[in-house]
Amino acid sequence: MLRPPSPHWLCEDPGIKTVLIHGMVMSPAFWRSFAPSIVREGRAAAYPLPGHSPWTLDGLAGTLTTKAIVNAYAEAIERDFDGEPVTLIGHSTGGFVSLLLARHRPDLVSNVILMGAFACGRFEGQERMASRILRLPVLGRHLFTRLFARWIATRETFRFGSLECVFDKAAGWETEETIATMEEVRAHLLKSQAAEIAAFVSWMSRTSVINELPLIDVPVLNIIGGRDAIVPPLHQIHLSGRLPRVHTVILDKVGHLPMAEARDKVDQLIGAFLLFGPLTANRKKTITNDAVIAPCHNALPLSL
């Protein structure tokens, strides 16, 4: 049985209960700088993805299943929040996991906030780079391990890969604080086992929640970077179209990291949604279109 993840506490005060789940090849430390302001005023825990340090698979890499992953997160929420429902904030792969949790354990989920999220491990017409590598016969796993090790080897290589997620490279989102945070993320990844992350990617590439999205009956805020080169904006819009209770916001000139590229705007959106949105999100779809959708390209970095 997959053991539950340990919490990375961002705040333990009374208030809004929040669980944050990061993207692929990141760590809970990512949220130290990039968590929305409102969650720092309540009880907020960040959990890792399976196989990402400190959450090891304990020899279960070959038998990773959706049921095991959902049960492990559910056990962690029951343990850390006394079984009360929480708001899930998921970025990219963390959004995918959040949707699975909302589908299979709605008793533990009050709201879902997505950023750069997807609903299946293989997008329509665009498969993730890591998945494509792992699907290569014979050498796939070895090549994935080599590329992963090379990417996290130095601060410079890790920064370069992360910048591929950002639309405006000169946006000024990097500060001494965020640089230190990303170095802490890299330190966690250096403790991870590439083979375990590869096992998680393999599970993800054969998993989809697309057809079950209409059954997710909790309020959802879907924040989309209009220039996201990692998860096609059209896929994210398609995701919203299948959710019964969703408010969708498309941010122009923003890539795959809205919480870093447009921090103030994302803070406002999430704050308003958590304070007012769920009261009015009664099975309606609203798209706030502040963007011009850019064409998506097939050149994807390994990360997220």
Side-chain angles (χ1 to χ4, degrees):
M1 184 176 69
L2 185 64
R3 62 182 175 84
S6 301
H8 179 95
W9 289 107
L10 300 174
C11 187
E12 297 186 69
D13 295 331
I16 295 173
K17 298 176 175 62
T18 312
V19 165
L20 302 95
I21 307 177
H22 60 80
M24 179 68 67
V25 198
M26 280 285 157
S27 85
F30 173 82
W31 297 110
R32 184 184 302 279
S33 291
F34 301 113
S37 298
I38 193 170
V39 310
R40 301 178 188 275
E41 302 171 4
R43 184 173 177 83
Y47 294 146
L49 292 174
H52 293 62
S53 179
W55 193 7
T56 60
L57 300 184
D58 298 329
L60 298 174
T63 59
L64 205 57
T65 65
T66 298
K67 181 178 180 180
I69 292 171
V70 168
N71 286 346
Y73 278 112
E75 186 175 341
I77 293 171
E78 290 171 337
R79 176 197 65 208
D80 298 329
F81 295 88
D82 297 324
E84 296 184 17
V86 301
T87 291
L88 296 176
I89 299 180
H91 173 239
S92 194
T93 307
F96 180 48
V97 171
S98 296
L99 290 170
L100 288 170
L101 276 166
R103 168 66 185 100
H104 296 287
R105 289 302 305 268
D107 58 307
L108 294 177
V109 180
S110 55
N111 313 287
V112 176
I113 297 170
L114 306 173
M115 289 180 275
F118 54 89
C120 60
R122 300 177 67 181
F123 313 134
E124 304 97 277
Q126 183 170 353
E127 187 177 10
R128 298 162 69 84
M129 176 68 79
S131 300
R132 294 206 302 265
I133 291 172
L134 287 169
R135 285 165 60 84
L136 294 173
V138 183
L139 295 178
R141 190 65 63 101
H142 175 71
L143 181 58
F144 175 90
T145 301
R146 290 288 299 274
L147 289 175
F148 173 72
R150 180 179 297 180
W151 182 52
I152 65 173
T154 68
R155 176 181 298 194
E156 290 72 25
T157 57
F158 187 61
R159 176 180 179 272
F160 179 79
S162 300
L163 283 175
E164 290 298 310
C165 300
V166 177
F167 170 67
D168 184 358
K169 306 298 189 289
W173 65 277
E174 289 183 297
T175 64
E176 289 186 6
E177 176 194 5
T178 61
I179 290 171
T181 293
M182 296 306 286
E183 186 61 11
E184 185 178 355
V185 168
R186 189 175 75 87
H188 278 110
L189 291 174
L190 286 168
K191 298 177 182 178
S192 302
Q193 298 296 318
E196 293 194 340
I197 293 180
F200 177 72
V201 173
S202 295
W203 161 81
M204 182 183 65
S205 68
R206 61 179 186 268
T207 305
S208 174
V209 72
I210 282 284
N211 293 331
E212 298 176 89
L213 291 176
L215 302 176
I216 296 177
D217 193 25
V218 300
V220 178
L221 172 63
N222 191 12
I223 300 174
I224 301 172
R227 307 302 179 94
D228 192 332
I230 309 302
V231 180
L234 289 178
H235 173 85
Q236 299 181 56
I237 293 171
H238 179 55
L239 185 163
S240 278
R242 287 176 168 261
L243 289 167
R245 302 175 66 189
V246 63
H247 183 83
T248 305
V249 179
I250 307 173
L251 301 177
D252 192 15
K253 297 181 181 179
V254 172
H256 192 55
L257 298 176
M259 74 295 286
E261 300 174 69
R263 181 181 297 192
D264 291 344
K265 181 63 175 177
V266 169
D267 266 6
Q268 293 171 8
L269 290 169
I270 292 177
F273 175 76
L274 291 181
L275 292 176
F276 308 112
L279 300 178
T280 58
N282 184 20
R283 295 186 174 274
K284 67 180 181 180
K285 305 184 183 77
T286 305
I287 294 184
T288 303
N289 190 349
D290 296 324
V292 176
I293 300 298
C296 302
H297 304 286
N298 289 325
L300 301 182
L302 177 66
S303 63
L304 304 179

